[in-house]
Amino acid sequence: MSEALQSLLDLLDLERIEEDIYRGRSRSAVVPRVFGGQVAAQAVVAAGRTVPGDRHAHSLHAYFLRPGDPGAPIVYNVDRLRDGRSFTTRRVVAVQHGKPIFTLSASFQTYEEGLDHQAPMPPAPDPATLPTGEERLRGYPHLPADTVERFLEARAAVDLRYVDDPPFGDFGTPREPHSQVWFRTNGKLADDPLLHVVLATYVSDMTLLDSVLLAHGRGGWAVGDVVGASLDHAMWFHRPFRADEWLLYDQQSPSASGGRGLGQARIHTQDGRLAISVVQEGVVRVPREH
């Protein structure tokens, strides 16, 4: 396991303060606020620790309410909304400085046999044939060196490979609002299914709004031509997967309006199984010129 991955796992490992109350710490992100994927992943950890081990996460719905302060701890309060025969539901509120910054509703289910079908996996090149994230980022001379280093540090725990140029790599000309990345953790994880859900949740917030930017030829927060932040985030976990094995994150944007952009995505395992569906809306604003 890489040092960066172990550091991330330590970051996501919450401290239990009291019954159904947990505390997490933060670290700086590419932007001067807590990375949304971190808060979401920590909230899933908090919810999961109150659920029997035979019930696995099948969906989560979240709202980002306020920017998180990287210099302050985050307290996660878990409400046990329902414990049924098949489903368990939890609500988590993340609090900083006495105010909620994030809410999560998560549902867990015991394993059941049932009807089974899925959308086919889209075509994508083998991840082994693609440049690594570091190779890709260092290949763009227009990006400031400090921006490149912040990106690399923020993503050091994950091997994330773009199929095509990301928005900040080739911008100025609108493209199809469609983006693909392969990702896996930089090291093997334990077999705990919740851990793999937590890591996939963390990564899912990294690139989902890229397709919004592509549609308008914008480079994004990396080059300062838009201001953005996640508003809400939803995930459905369809089939077992491992976050330490290659996953294809196929993303598209059907709409942007009113200062908001919508991203939709499917995550497939390398052998073609549809593992996760993801939807996110975010603020995407063009800075005003003075």
Side-chain angles (χ1 to χ4, degrees), residues 59-109:
S59 69
L60 62 87
H61 301 262
Y63 282 93
F64 298 88
L65 306 177
R66 294 179 175 86
D69 176 3
I74 305 174
V75 175
Y76 295 89
N77 298 297
V78 182
D79 289 333
R80 302 187 182 222
L81 298 182
R82 180 174 184 265
D83 288 289
R85 289 191 294 179
S86 300
F87 291 90
T88 293
T89 308
R90 297 291 184 259
R91 180 173 182 265
V92 183
V93 180
V95 178
Q96 267 190 329
H97 306 302
K99 296 180 179 180
I101 65 168
F102 175 87
T103 64
L104 170 83
S105 294
S107 184
F108 301 76
Q109 180 189 16

Short mmCIF file of all heavy atoms in Angstrom, two decimals, residues 59-109:
data_model
loop_
_atom_site.label_atom_id
_atom_site.label_comp_id
_atom_site.label_asym_id
_atom_site.label_seq_id
_atom_site.Cartn_x
_atom_site.Cartn_y
_atom_site.Cartn_z
N SER A 59 -27.52 2.83 -1.56
CA SER A 59 -27.74 4.18 -2.11
C SER A 59 -27.37 5.23 -1.07
O SER A 59 -27.40 4.98 0.14
CB SER A 59 -29.20 4.38 -2.54
OG SER A 59 -30.07 4.41 -1.43
N LEU A 60 -27.03 6.41 -1.58
CA LEU A 60 -26.82 7.56 -0.72
C LEU A 60 -27.24 8.82 -1.46
O LEU A 60 -27.14 8.91 -2.68
CB LEU A 60 -25.37 7.67 -0.25
CG LEU A 60 -24.26 7.86 -1.28
CD1 LEU A 60 -24.04 9.35 -1.61
CD2 LEU A 60 -22.96 7.26 -0.75
N HIS A 61 -27.76 9.78 -0.69
CA HIS A 61 -28.20 11.06 -1.23
C HIS A 61 -27.69 12.14 -0.29
O HIS A 61 -27.95 12.08 0.91
CB HIS A 61 -29.73 11.11 -1.33
CG HIS A 61 -30.31 10.04 -2.20
ND1 HIS A 61 -30.67 10.24 -3.51
CD2 HIS A 61 -30.56 8.73 -1.95
CE1 HIS A 61 -31.13 9.11 -4.03
NE2 HIS A 61 -31.08 8.18 -3.09
N ALA A 62 -27.00 13.13 -0.84
CA ALA A 62 -26.32 14.10 0.00
C ALA A 62 -26.49 15.51 -0.52
O ALA A 62 -26.66 15.74 -1.72
CB ALA A 62 -24.82 13.76 0.07
N TYR A 63 -26.41 16.48 0.43
CA TYR A 63 -26.41 17.90 0.10
C TYR A 63 -25.21 18.57 0.76
O TYR A 63 -24.94 18.34 1.95
CB TYR A 63 -27.70 18.58 0.59
CG TYR A 63 -28.89 18.34 -0.30
CD1 TYR A 63 -29.77 17.28 -0.05
CD2 TYR A 63 -29.14 19.16 -1.41
CE1 TYR A 63 -30.86 17.06 -0.86
CE2 TYR A 63 -30.23 18.93 -2.23
CZ TYR A 63 -31.08 17.89 -1.96
OH TYR A 63 -32.16 17.65 -2.78
N PHE A 64 -24.51 19.37 -0.03
CA PHE A 64 -23.41 20.18 0.49
C PHE A 64 -24.00 21.54 0.85
O PHE A 64 -24.46 22.29 -0.03
CB PHE A 64 -22.31 20.33 -0.56
CG PHE A 64 -21.69 19.02 -0.96
CD1 PHE A 64 -22.23 18.25 -1.99
CD2 PHE A 64 -20.56 18.54 -0.30
CE1 PHE A 64 -21.65 17.05 -2.36
CE2 PHE A 64 -19.98 17.33 -0.66
CZ PHE A 64 -20.53 16.59 -1.68
N LEU A 65 -24.00 21.89 2.13
CA LEU A 65 -24.71 23.08 2.61
C LEU A 65 -23.80 24.30 2.76
O LEU A 65 -24.21 25.42 2.45
CB LEU A 65 -25.37 22.79 3.95
CG LEU A 65 -26.30 21.57 3.98
CD1 LEU A 65 -26.83 21.36 5.39
CD2 LEU A 65 -27.45 21.76 3.00
N ARG A 66 -22.59 24.09 3.27
CA ARG A 66 -21.64 25.18 3.49
C ARG A 66 -20.23 24.68 3.18
O ARG A 66 -19.96 23.48 3.33
CB ARG A 66 -21.68 25.67 4.95
CG ARG A 66 -22.98 26.34 5.37
CD ARG A 66 -22.92 26.77 6.84
NE ARG A 66 -24.10 27.52 7.23
CZ ARG A 66 -25.22 26.98 7.65
NH1 ARG A 66 -25.33 25.65 7.76
NH2 ARG A 66 -26.25 27.74 7.99
N PRO A 67 -19.33 25.59 2.79
CA PRO A 67 -17.94 25.15 2.60
C PRO A 67 -17.34 24.67 3.92
O PRO A 67 -17.59 25.26 4.98
CB PRO A 67 -17.23 26.44 2.12
CG PRO A 67 -18.32 27.34 1.64
CD PRO A 67 -19.53 27.01 2.46
N GLY A 68 -16.58 23.59 3.86
CA GLY A 68 -15.92 23.07 5.05
C GLY A 68 -14.61 23.79 5.32
O GLY A 68 -13.88 24.16 4.39
N ASP A 69 -14.29 23.97 6.59
CA ASP A 69 -13.05 24.61 7.02
C ASP A 69 -11.98 23.54 7.21
O ASP A 69 -12.09 22.72 8.12
CB ASP A 69 -13.31 25.36 8.33
CG ASP A 69 -12.04 25.99 8.91
OD1 ASP A 69 -10.97 25.91 8.28
OD2 ASP A 69 -12.14 26.57 10.02
N PRO A 70 -10.91 23.53 6.38
CA PRO A 70 -9.90 22.48 6.52
C PRO A 70 -9.16 22.51 7.86
O PRO A 70 -8.56 21.51 8.26
CB PRO A 70 -8.92 22.78 5.37
CG PRO A 70 -9.68 23.65 4.42
CD PRO A 70 -10.64 24.44 5.26
N GLY A 71 -9.19 23.66 8.55
CA GLY A 71 -8.46 23.78 9.80
C GLY A 71 -9.23 23.36 11.03
O GLY A 71 -8.69 23.44 12.15
N ALA A 72 -10.46 22.92 10.88
CA ALA A 72 -11.29 22.57 12.04
C ALA A 72 -11.81 21.14 11.90
O ALA A 72 -12.05 20.67 10.79
CB ALA A 72 -12.46 23.54 12.16
N PRO A 73 -12.01 20.43 13.03
CA PRO A 73 -12.60 19.09 12.95
C PRO A 73 -14.04 19.15 12.49
O PRO A 73 -14.70 20.20 12.58
CB PRO A 73 -12.49 18.57 14.39
CG PRO A 73 -12.42 19.80 15.23
CD PRO A 73 -11.71 20.84 14.42
N ILE A 74 -14.53 18.02 11.99
CA ILE A 74 -15.93 17.89 11.56
C ILE A 74 -16.59 16.84 12.46
O ILE A 74 -16.06 15.74 12.62
CB ILE A 74 -16.04 17.46 10.09
CG1 ILE A 74 -15.28 18.42 9.18
CG2 ILE A 74 -17.51 17.38 9.67
CD1 ILE A 74 -15.22 17.97 7.74
N VAL A 75 -17.72 17.19 13.02
CA VAL A 75 -18.47 16.26 13.87
C VAL A 75 -19.63 15.68 13.06
O VAL A 75 -20.38 16.43 12.42
CB VAL A 75 -19.00 16.94 15.14
CG1 VAL A 75 -19.89 15.99 15.95
CG2 VAL A 75 -17.83 17.44 16.00
N TYR A 76 -19.76 14.34 13.08
CA TYR A 76 -20.80 13.64 12.33
C TYR A 76 -21.80 13.03 13.31
O TYR A 76 -21.46 12.18 14.13
CB TYR A 76 -20.17 12.54 11.47
CG TYR A 76 -19.27 13.08 10.38
CD1 TYR A 76 -17.92 13.29 10.63
CD2 TYR A 76 -19.77 13.38 9.12
CE1 TYR A 76 -17.08 13.79 9.64
CE2 TYR A 76 -18.94 13.89 8.13
CZ TYR A 76 -17.60 14.09 8.39
OH TYR A 76 -16.77 14.59 7.41
N ASN A 77 -23.05 13.51 13.24
CA ASN A 77 -24.13 12.99 14.07
C ASN A 77 -25.01 12.05 13.25
O ASN A 77 -25.51 12.45 12.18
CB ASN A 77 -24.98 14.15 14.60
CG ASN A 77 -24.19 15.09 15.48
OD1 ASN A 77 -23.71 14.70 16.53
ND2 ASN A 77 -24.07 16.34 15.06
N VAL A 78 -25.19 10.84 13.73
CA VAL A 78 -25.94 9.82 13.00
C VAL A 78 -27.30 9.62 13.63
O VAL A 78 -27.41 9.39 14.84
CB VAL A 78 -25.18 8.48 12.97
CG1 VAL A 78 -25.95 7.44 12.15
CG2 VAL A 78 -23.76 8.66 12.42
N ASP A 79 -28.35 9.72 12.81
CA ASP A 79 -29.72 9.39 13.25
C ASP A 79 -30.09 8.02 12.69
O ASP A 79 -30.00 7.79 11.48
CB ASP A 79 -30.72 10.42 12.74
CG ASP A 79 -30.60 11.76 13.45
OD1 ASP A 79 -30.14 11.77 14.60
OD2 ASP A 79 -30.93 12.78 12.83
N ARG A 80 -30.55 7.13 13.56
CA ARG A 80 -30.98 5.79 13.13
C ARG A 80 -32.46 5.86 12.74
O ARG A 80 -33.35 5.59 13.56
CB ARG A 80 -30.74 4.78 14.25
CG ARG A 80 -29.29 4.72 14.71
CD ARG A 80 -29.07 3.61 15.71
NE ARG A 80 -27.69 3.58 16.18
CZ ARG A 80 -26.97 2.47 16.36
NH1 ARG A 80 -27.51 1.28 16.10
NH2 ARG A 80 -25.73 2.54 16.81
N LEU A 81 -32.71 6.17 11.49
CA LEU A 81 -34.08 6.42 11.06
C LEU A 81 -34.90 5.15 10.98
O LEU A 81 -36.10 5.15 11.29
CB LEU A 81 -34.07 7.11 9.69
CG LEU A 81 -33.42 8.49 9.63
CD1 LEU A 81 -33.54 9.06 8.22
CD2 LEU A 81 -34.04 9.44 10.64
N ARG A 82 -34.29 4.04 10.52
CA ARG A 82 -35.08 2.81 10.35
C ARG A 82 -34.18 1.59 10.36
O ARG A 82 -33.11 1.59 9.76
CB ARG A 82 -35.85 2.86 9.02
CG ARG A 82 -36.71 1.63 8.75
CD ARG A 82 -37.56 1.81 7.50
NE ARG A 82 -38.45 0.68 7.28
CZ ARG A 82 -38.18 -0.36 6.49
NH1 ARG A 82 -37.04 -0.40 5.82
NH2 ARG A 82 -39.05 -1.34 6.34
N ASP A 83 -34.65 0.55 11.03
CA ASP A 83 -34.00 -0.76 11.00
C ASP A 83 -35.09 -1.78 10.67
O ASP A 83 -35.77 -2.29 11.56
CB ASP A 83 -33.35 -1.08 12.34
CG ASP A 83 -32.10 -0.25 12.59
OD1 ASP A 83 -31.09 -0.48 11.93
OD2 ASP A 83 -32.17 0.67 13.44
N GLY A 84 -35.27 -2.06 9.38
CA GLY A 84 -36.28 -3.02 8.95
C GLY A 84 -35.71 -4.41 8.77
O GLY A 84 -34.53 -4.66 9.05
N ARG A 85 -36.53 -5.32 8.29
CA ARG A 85 -36.07 -6.69 8.09
C ARG A 85 -35.07 -6.81 6.95
O ARG A 85 -34.19 -7.66 6.97
CB ARG A 85 -37.27 -7.61 7.84
CG ARG A 85 -38.12 -7.84 9.08
CD ARG A 85 -39.13 -8.95 8.87
NE ARG A 85 -40.13 -8.60 7.86
CZ ARG A 85 -41.11 -9.41 7.48
NH1 ARG A 85 -41.22 -10.61 8.02
NH2 ARG A 85 -41.99 -9.01 6.56
N SER A 86 -35.18 -5.94 5.94
CA SER A 86 -34.28 -5.98 4.80
C SER A 86 -33.44 -4.72 4.64
O SER A 86 -32.32 -4.78 4.15
CB SER A 86 -35.06 -6.21 3.50
OG SER A 86 -35.78 -7.43 3.54
N PHE A 87 -34.00 -3.57 5.04
CA PHE A 87 -33.35 -2.29 4.79
C PHE A 87 -33.08 -1.55 6.10
O PHE A 87 -33.88 -1.62 7.04
CB PHE A 87 -34.22 -1.42 3.88
CG PHE A 87 -34.32 -1.92 2.47
CD1 PHE A 87 -35.34 -2.80 2.10
CD2 PHE A 87 -33.41 -1.52 1.50
CE1 PHE A 87 -35.44 -3.26 0.80
CE2 PHE A 87 -33.51 -1.99 0.20
CZ PHE A 87 -34.52 -2.86 -0.15
N THR A 88 -31.97 -0.83 6.10
CA THR A 88 -31.59 0.03 7.21
C THR A 88 -31.31 1.41 6.65
O THR A 88 -30.61 1.54 5.65
CB THR A 88 -30.34 -0.52 7.92
OG1 THR A 88 -30.66 -1.76 8.57
CG2 THR A 88 -29.82 0.46 8.96
N THR A 89 -31.85 2.45 7.29
CA THR A 89 -31.68 3.82 6.80
C THR A 89 -31.05 4.67 7.89
O THR A 89 -31.45 4.61 9.05
CB THR A 89 -33.03 4.44 6.40
OG1 THR A 89 -33.70 3.55 5.50
CG2 THR A 89 -32.83 5.78 5.72
N ARG A 90 -30.07 5.48 7.47
CA ARG A 90 -29.39 6.38 8.38
C ARG A 90 -29.35 7.80 7.80
O ARG A 90 -29.26 7.97 6.59
CB ARG A 90 -27.95 5.91 8.64
CG ARG A 90 -27.84 4.57 9.32
CD ARG A 90 -28.33 4.64 10.76
NE ARG A 90 -28.16 3.38 11.49
CZ ARG A 90 -29.14 2.51 11.71
NH1 ARG A 90 -30.36 2.76 11.23
NH2 ARG A 90 -28.92 1.41 12.40
N ARG A 91 -29.39 8.77 8.68
CA ARG A 91 -29.19 10.16 8.29
C ARG A 91 -28.00 10.69 9.06
O ARG A 91 -27.90 10.50 10.27
CB ARG A 91 -30.44 11.01 8.60
CG ARG A 91 -30.30 12.48 8.21
CD ARG A 91 -31.63 13.21 8.38
NE ARG A 91 -31.55 14.61 7.96
CZ ARG A 91 -31.32 15.63 8.79
NH1 ARG A 91 -31.13 15.39 10.08
NH2 ARG A 91 -31.27 16.86 8.34
N VAL A 92 -27.11 11.37 8.36
CA VAL A 92 -25.90 11.91 8.97
C VAL A 92 -25.85 13.41 8.72
O VAL A 92 -26.06 13.87 7.60
CB VAL A 92 -24.63 11.25 8.40
CG1 VAL A 92 -23.38 11.78 9.10
CG2 VAL A 92 -24.71 9.73 8.52
N VAL A 93 -25.57 14.17 9.77
CA VAL A 93 -25.37 15.62 9.65
C VAL A 93 -23.93 15.92 10.07
O VAL A 93 -23.51 15.56 11.18
CB VAL A 93 -26.36 16.41 10.52
CG1 VAL A 93 -26.10 17.92 10.38
CG2 VAL A 93 -27.80 16.08 10.13
N ALA A 94 -23.18 16.57 9.18
CA ALA A 94 -21.81 16.98 9.47
C ALA A 94 -21.83 18.42 9.94
O ALA A 94 -22.41 19.29 9.29
CB ALA A 94 -20.94 16.83 8.23
N VAL A 95 -21.17 18.68 11.08
CA VAL A 95 -21.24 20.00 11.72
C VAL A 95 -19.85 20.56 11.93
O VAL A 95 -18.92 19.84 12.34
CB VAL A 95 -21.97 19.90 13.08
CG1 VAL A 95 -22.00 21.26 13.78
CG2 VAL A 95 -23.38 19.37 12.90
N GLN A 96 -19.70 21.86 11.63
CA GLN A 96 -18.49 22.61 11.94
C GLN A 96 -18.88 23.97 12.49
O GLN A 96 -19.79 24.61 11.96
CB GLN A 96 -17.62 22.81 10.69
CG GLN A 96 -16.55 21.77 10.47
CD GLN A 96 -15.60 22.17 9.35
OE1 GLN A 96 -15.96 22.85 8.41
NE2 GLN A 96 -14.36 21.72 9.46
N HIS A 97 -18.17 24.40 13.52
CA HIS A 97 -18.43 25.71 14.12
C HIS A 97 -19.91 25.90 14.46
O HIS A 97 -20.47 26.98 14.32
CB HIS A 97 -17.96 26.83 13.18
CG HIS A 97 -16.53 26.71 12.74
ND1 HIS A 97 -15.48 26.66 13.64
CD2 HIS A 97 -15.98 26.61 11.50
CE1 HIS A 97 -14.33 26.55 12.97
NE2 HIS A 97 -14.61 26.50 11.68
N GLY A 98 -20.54 24.81 14.90
CA GLY A 98 -21.92 24.87 15.35
C GLY A 98 -22.97 24.89 14.26
O GLY A 98 -24.17 25.02 14.54
N LYS A 99 -22.55 24.75 12.98
CA LYS A 99 -23.50 24.80 11.87
C LYS A 99 -23.35 23.57 10.98
O LYS A 99 -22.23 23.09 10.77
CB LYS A 99 -23.28 26.06 11.04
CG LYS A 99 -23.54 27.35 11.78
CD LYS A 99 -23.31 28.55 10.88
CE LYS A 99 -23.60 29.86 11.61
NZ LYS A 99 -23.37 31.04 10.73
N PRO A 100 -24.46 23.06 10.43
CA PRO A 100 -24.36 21.92 9.50
C PRO A 100 -23.72 22.36 8.19
O PRO A 100 -24.07 23.41 7.63
CB PRO A 100 -25.82 21.50 9.29
CG PRO A 100 -26.62 22.72 9.60
CD PRO A 100 -25.87 23.47 10.65
N ILE A 101 -22.78 21.57 7.72
CA ILE A 101 -22.14 21.86 6.43
C ILE A 101 -22.52 20.82 5.38
O ILE A 101 -22.30 21.04 4.18
CB ILE A 101 -20.61 21.93 6.56
CG1 ILE A 101 -20.01 20.56 6.96
CG2 ILE A 101 -20.18 23.00 7.53
CD1 ILE A 101 -18.50 20.48 6.83
N PHE A 102 -23.13 19.69 5.81
CA PHE A 102 -23.38 18.58 4.89
C PHE A 102 -24.40 17.65 5.52
O PHE A 102 -24.38 17.43 6.74
CB PHE A 102 -22.05 17.84 4.64
CG PHE A 102 -22.15 16.59 3.81
CD1 PHE A 102 -22.07 16.64 2.43
CD2 PHE A 102 -22.30 15.34 4.41
CE1 PHE A 102 -22.13 15.49 1.66
CE2 PHE A 102 -22.37 14.18 3.65
CZ PHE A 102 -22.28 14.26 2.27
N THR A 103 -25.31 17.12 4.71
CA THR A 103 -26.24 16.09 5.19
C THR A 103 -26.20 14.90 4.24
O THR A 103 -26.02 15.07 3.03
CB THR A 103 -27.68 16.60 5.28
OG1 THR A 103 -28.16 16.93 3.98
CG2 THR A 103 -27.78 17.81 6.19
N LEU A 104 -26.39 13.72 4.80
CA LEU A 104 -26.38 12.49 4.02
C LEU A 104 -27.51 11.58 4.48
O LEU A 104 -27.70 11.40 5.69
CB LEU A 104 -25.04 11.76 4.20
CG LEU A 104 -24.95 10.34 3.64
CD1 LEU A 104 -24.64 10.39 2.14
CD2 LEU A 104 -23.88 9.52 4.36
N SER A 105 -28.24 11.03 3.53
CA SER A 105 -29.15 9.92 3.81
C SER A 105 -28.58 8.70 3.11
O SER A 105 -28.26 8.76 1.91
CB SER A 105 -30.56 10.21 3.30
OG SER A 105 -31.15 11.27 4.01
N ALA A 106 -28.43 7.61 3.82
CA ALA A 106 -27.84 6.39 3.25
C ALA A 106 -28.72 5.20 3.60
O ALA A 106 -29.26 5.11 4.71
CB ALA A 106 -26.43 6.17 3.78
N SER A 107 -28.86 4.28 2.63
CA SER A 107 -29.68 3.09 2.83
C SER A 107 -28.82 1.85 2.62
O SER A 107 -27.98 1.81 1.72
CB SER A 107 -30.86 3.10 1.86
OG SER A 107 -31.71 2.00 2.11
N PHE A 108 -29.06 0.85 3.47
CA PHE A 108 -28.31 -0.40 3.45
C PHE A 108 -29.30 -1.56 3.34
O PHE A 108 -30.42 -1.47 3.84
CB PHE A 108 -27.47 -0.55 4.72
CG PHE A 108 -26.47 0.56 4.94
CD1 PHE A 108 -26.88 1.81 5.40
CD2 PHE A 108 -25.12 0.36 4.69
CE1 PHE A 108 -25.98 2.83 5.61
CE2 PHE A 108 -24.20 1.38 4.90
CZ PHE A 108 -24.63 2.62 5.36
N GLN A 109 -28.88 -2.65 2.71
CA GLN A 109 -29.80 -3.77 2.45
C GLN A 109 -29.08 -5.09 2.65
O GLN A 109 -27.88 -5.22 2.34
CB GLN A 109 -30.32 -3.68 1.01
CG GLN A 109 -31.29 -4.79 0.61
CD GLN A 109 -31.60 -4.79 -0.88
OE1 GLN A 109 -30.89 -4.16 -1.66
NE2 GLN A 109 -32.64 -5.50 -1.27
#
